């Protein structure tokens, strides 16, 4: 096989590159089946999303592919390794620099730029670059042909990073690869969007069982589980790794399925089993109506407010006072507090003048309370006539009462987004629930729901059934006519 054939084929080319093994020795990149699948998916031109087990070499495979694209580019194309932290991107560029330095002399071409963040071929102007979203100006002055984001699930500002990548690509190829971090992490959100056919990823998942190195000869006294679809060697290797990492971390870092990767158990505030009987309703992210208005019922609304600048969501959760069921959810991270007050007022009017409980402390809660007062919307007050304040005393109490409703199956239906938020919540070392930073979910709907459940405690449901106005008027007219007949009755 001649050099031209090798250079023109990404798998053949990448398999001849040099890496450093675990013992620090240079060795050829012997591509595993998972790495070949990644390279072939990228070579097809697809934007590629990879959920991986640890140590399968996906970062190296993607780095090798984009190195091949750079090396064979006929013109000044740019390929970027992007991360939130520049050190992570530099590590990928270092892998590619090792590829370059180990090329055969016949393939060695001079560089016009060679520093810690950039490598540029002198003849074509093609560039490999390490960049970060936190750098001054981001990537505004660059247009990338291809872009690689590694360990996306661990990125603290994933939306910002992704937006930076898309702006720089301008139609180029994007590859995101990562292990799982927690339920609702940025990678999980991309998988959910792909599953809902809202984004066009080529999604690749590699269970740990596909990795030939994840097996070990068991001792004679090892008892394998015959019901598991695993070899004895795989079972023994798995038992040893679980002993080192614990079951939850093992399942997250060495998953058998996507659900396995995100089957959060240790540290979860709400166990997944507690939510299994709740009917999941698919709504848009902005929410929607889950039940019709019942004129014999009354309603309460819980409101959590964000700034409306694309970060935390403002939420409006409407709950039936008679059944405790959620009947409507609205959320937005684009409405200003004043605009959100108008949304809440509209929903209160729709649900028969529903009483509203607003988290009044914080930057924006007071704004909404003031606006709703001016609009004449009925507001929740405590016994002293004060608005709700979420603090170290009231927050655990309201969340614990929400958890009690969920554990007793008192809430039977929620939208998928809210269920995702509930599964995202964890508990800290003191047992206090919190929503991890960096994920797609910020916990805003959970807070709105907990506030709504507090609100309906003070909402009285009428004993008499509701009668439409036209029926009431007809009864009044009938009574009048009957009275008139009595007044003029002949004897």
């Amino acid at each position: 096989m001649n050099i031209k054939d090798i250079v023109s084929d990404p798998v053949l080319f990448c398999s001849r590159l040099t890496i450093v093994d675990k013992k620090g020795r240079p060795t050829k990149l012997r591509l595993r089946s998972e790495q070949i699948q990644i390279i072939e998916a990228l070579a097809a031109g697809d934007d590629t999303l990879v959920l991986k087990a640890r140590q399968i070499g996906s970062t190296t495979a993607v780095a090798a592919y984009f190195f091949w694209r750079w090396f064979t580019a006929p013109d000044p194309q740019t390929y970027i390794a992007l991360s939130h932290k520049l050190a992570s991107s530099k590590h990928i560029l270092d892998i590619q620099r090792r590829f370059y330095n180990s090329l055969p002399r016949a393939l060695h071409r001079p560089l016009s730029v060679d520093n810690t963040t950039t490598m540029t071929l002198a003849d074509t102007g093609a560039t490999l670059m390490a960049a970060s979203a936190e750098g001054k100006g981001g990537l505004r002055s660059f247009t990338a042909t291809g872009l690689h984001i590694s360990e996306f699930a661990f990125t603290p500002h994933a939306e910002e990073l992704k937006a930076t990548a898309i702006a720089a690509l301008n139609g180029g190829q994007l590859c995101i690869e990562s292990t799982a971090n927690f339920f609702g992490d940025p990678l999980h959100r991309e998988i959910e969007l792909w599953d809902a056919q809202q984004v066009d990823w080529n999604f690749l998942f590699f269970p740990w069982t596909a990795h030939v190195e994840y097996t070990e000869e068991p001792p004679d006294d090892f008892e394998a589980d015959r019901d598991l679809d695993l070899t004895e060697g795989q079972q023994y290797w798995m038992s040893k790794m679980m002993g080192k990492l614990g079951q939850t971390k093992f399942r997250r870092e060495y998953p058998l399925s996507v659900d396995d990767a995100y089957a959060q158990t240790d540290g979860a505030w709400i166990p997944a089993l507690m939510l299994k009987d709740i009917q999941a309703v698919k709504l848009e992210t902005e929410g929607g109506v889950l039940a019709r208005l019942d004129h014999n019922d009354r309603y309460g609304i819980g409101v959590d407010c964000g700034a409306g600048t694309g970060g935390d969501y403002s939420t409006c959760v409407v709950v039936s006072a008679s059944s405790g069921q959620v009947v409507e959810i609205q959320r937005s991270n684009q409405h200003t507090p004043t605009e959100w007050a108008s949304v809440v007022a509209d929903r209160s009017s729709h649900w028969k003048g529903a009483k509203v409980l607003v988290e009044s402390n914080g930057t924006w809660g007071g704004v909404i309370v003031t606006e709703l007062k001016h609009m004449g919307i009925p507001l929740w007050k405590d016994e002293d006539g004060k608005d709700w304040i979420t603090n170290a005393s009231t927050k655990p109490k309201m969340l614990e009462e929400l958890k009690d409703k969920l554990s007793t199956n008192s809430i039977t239906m929620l939208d998928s987004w809210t269920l995702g938020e509930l599964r995202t919540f964890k508990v800290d070392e003191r047992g206090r629930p919190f929503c991890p930073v960096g994920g797609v979910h910020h916990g805003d709907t959970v807070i709105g729901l907990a506030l709504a459940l507090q609100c309906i405690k003070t909402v009285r449901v009428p004993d008499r059934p509701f009668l439409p106005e036209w029926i009431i008027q007809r009864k009044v007219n009938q009574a009048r006519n009957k009275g008139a007949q009595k007044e003029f009755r002949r004897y």
Side-chain angles (χ1 to χ4, degrees):
M1 187 174 293
N2 60 45
I3 291 179
K4 186 176 180 181
D5 291 334
I6 293 171
V7 171
S8 64
D9 186 306
V11 173
L12 293 176
F13 181 86
C14 293
S15 65
R16 286 162 170 79
L17 297 173
T18 299
I19 60 170
V20 173
D21 66 15
K22 294 177 182 178
K23 296 182 179 180
R25 300 171 303 192
T27 185
K28 291 300 179 186
L29 176 56
R30 295 178 179 86
L31 294 173
R32 305 183 182 102
S33 61
E34 305 98 318
Q35 293 174 310
I36 292 173
Q37 287 183 60
I38 292 170
I39 291 172
E40 288 178 342
L42 289 167
D46 300 327
D47 287 340
T48 303
L49 184 70
V50 183
L51 171 60
K52 62 179 183 177
R54 285 282 179 203
Q55 304 297 322
I56 69 164
S58 66
T59 300
T60 302
V62 178
Y65 168 76
F66 281 128
F67 178 84
W68 171 76
R69 288 285 303 272
W70 167 76
F71 188 79
T72 58
D75 46 44
Q77 298 177 13
T78 301
Y79 297 92
I80 299 174
L82 178 66
S83 177
H84 182 70
K85 295 290 186 182
L86 184 58
S88 301
S89 303
K90 283 183 175 180
H91 172 70
I92 295 173
L93 185 63
D94 286 343
I95 294 172
Q96 293 170 324
R97 180 174 283 105
R98 189 176 299 115
F99 293 158
Y100 173 80
N101 290 334
S102 303
L103 287 172
R105 182 168 296 182
L107 295 179
H108 233 267
R109 295 148 62 195
L111 299 174
S112 59
V113 179
D114 184 13
N115 56 45
T116 58
T117 60
T118 307
M119 291 171 59
T120 301
L121 288 168
D123 52 1
T124 62
T127 297
L128 287 173
M129 180 183 297
S132 74
E134 64 182 2
K136 250 186 180 179
L139 294 173
R140 278 180 221 159
S141 58
F142 299 99
T143 299
T145 310
L147 204 146
H148 174 197
I149 302 177
S150 183
E151 294 301 351
F152 184 62
F154 298 83
T155 301
H157 304 290
E159 289 301 315
E160 175 189 343
L161 188 70
K162 186 181 173 185
T164 300
I166 292 172
L169 277 170
N170 194 26
Q173 187 176 26
L174 175 63
C175 180
I176 293 176
E177 46 91 16
S178 181
T179 50
N181 188 8
F182 58 83
F183 188 95
D185 68 32
L187 179 70
H188 193 201
R189 179 58 177 159
E190 291 300 321
I191 295 170
E192 288 180 327
L193 290 171
W194 167 81
D195 192 45
Q197 298 182 339
Q198 294 182 30
V199 291
D200 190 21
W201 286 112
N202 182 353
F203 174 56
L204 301 177
F205 168 70
F206 300 107
W208 69 264
T209 50
H211 194 39
V212 294
E213 292 183 14
Y214 292 158
T215 184
E216 188 171 338
E217 187 68 28
D220 294 338
D221 59 350
F222 179 73
E223 294 184 9
D225 187 342
R226 303 300 175 189
D227 293 329
L228 292 179
D229 189 22
L230 301 172
T231 66
E232 287 190 6
Q234 288 175 328
Q235 289 189 45
Y236 181 62
W237 179 87
M238 178 178 71
S239 67
K240 287 184 66 176
M241 291 300 295
M242 280 188 177
K244 292 178 182 178
L245 301 174
Q247 182 177 357
T248 298
K249 190 172 182 180
F250 176 83
R251 291 179 69 184
R252 184 170 64 244
E253 297 197 354
Y254 299 93
L256 284 170
S257 65
V258 174
D259 288 340
D260 206 32
Y262 290 105
Q264 180 173 302
T265 52
D266 289 356
W269 177 54
I270 302 287
L273 286 175
M274 190 183 289
L275 304 174
K276 69 180 179 64
D277 293 326
I278 296 178
Q279 181 184 349
V281 180
K282 282 195 173 184
L283 299 175
E284 297 294 327
T285 302
E286 293 74 20
V289 177
L290 283 78
R292 293 181 179 178
L293 175 67
D294 181 351
H295 289 283
N296 293 315
D297 203 350
R298 293 295 181 269
Y299 302 91
I301 297 177
V303 177
D304 187 28
C305 187
T309 56
D312 286 358
Y313 281 83
S314 293
T315 59
C316 171
V317 182
V318 188
V319 172
S320 159
S322 63
S323 68
Q325 299 300 317
V326 177
V327 296
E328 183 176 8
I329 295 171
Q330 295 295 332
R331 62 176 71 84
S332 170
N333 60 2
Q334 300 299 323
H335 286 71
T336 65
T338 302
E339 292 169 342
W340 196 243
S342 297
V343 172
V344 174
D346 178 72
R347 301 334 293 154
S348 173
S349 299
H350 173 81
W351 295 100
K352 294 184 66 64
K355 184 182 288 187
V356 179
L357 191 160
V358 182
E359 186 179 49
S360 63
N361 54 315
T363 308
W364 309 114
V367 175
I368 290 190
V369 170
T370 301
E371 291 294 321
L372 293 177
K373 280 180 182 177
H374 290 162
M375 294 183 222
I377 302 301
L379 295 173
W380 179 95
K381 302 287 181 181
D382 67 11
E383 294 176 351
D384 298 324
K386 295 181 179 179
D387 297 310
W388 176 277
I389 294 178
T390 300
N391 54 35
S393 172
T394 59
K395 186 174 183 178
K397 178 177 179 289
M398 74 178 190
L399 288 175
E400 192 58 35
E401 290 185 16
L402 166 58
K403 186 175 181 179
D404 181 64
K405 293 288 185 184
L406 294 167
S407 66
T408 57
N409 298 318
S410 299
I411 296 175
T412 61
M413 182 169 60
L414 288 170
D415 69 315
S416 300
W417 182 279
T418 304
L419 285 169
E421 282 192 22
L422 286 166
R423 288 195 62 185
T424 300
F425 268 72
K426 304 180 79 172
V427 290
D428 63 18
E429 65 279 358
R430 296 175 61 183
R432 298 172 301 189
F434 71 98
C435 189
V437 176
V440 175
H441 299 298
H442 301 159
D444 308 302
T445 318
V446 171
I447 298 299
L449 174 55
L451 293 172
L453 292 174
Q454 295 298 311
C455 183
I456 61 172
K457 291 181 180 180
T458 63
V459 175
R460 189 178 68 84
V461 180
D463 298 327
R464 291 185 299 174
F466 167 79
L467 291 175
E469 185 62 35
W470 68 271
I471 292 181
I472 294 173
Q473 192 59 49
R474 188 176 69 178
K475 284 181 174 291
V476 169
N477 292 337
Q478 286 175 343
R480 285 174 178 169
N481 292 336
K482 199 169 185 180
Q485 288 172 6
K486 286 182 179 180
E487 186 177 348
F488 298 105
R489 185 173 61 185
R490 291 185 178 180
Y491 293 93

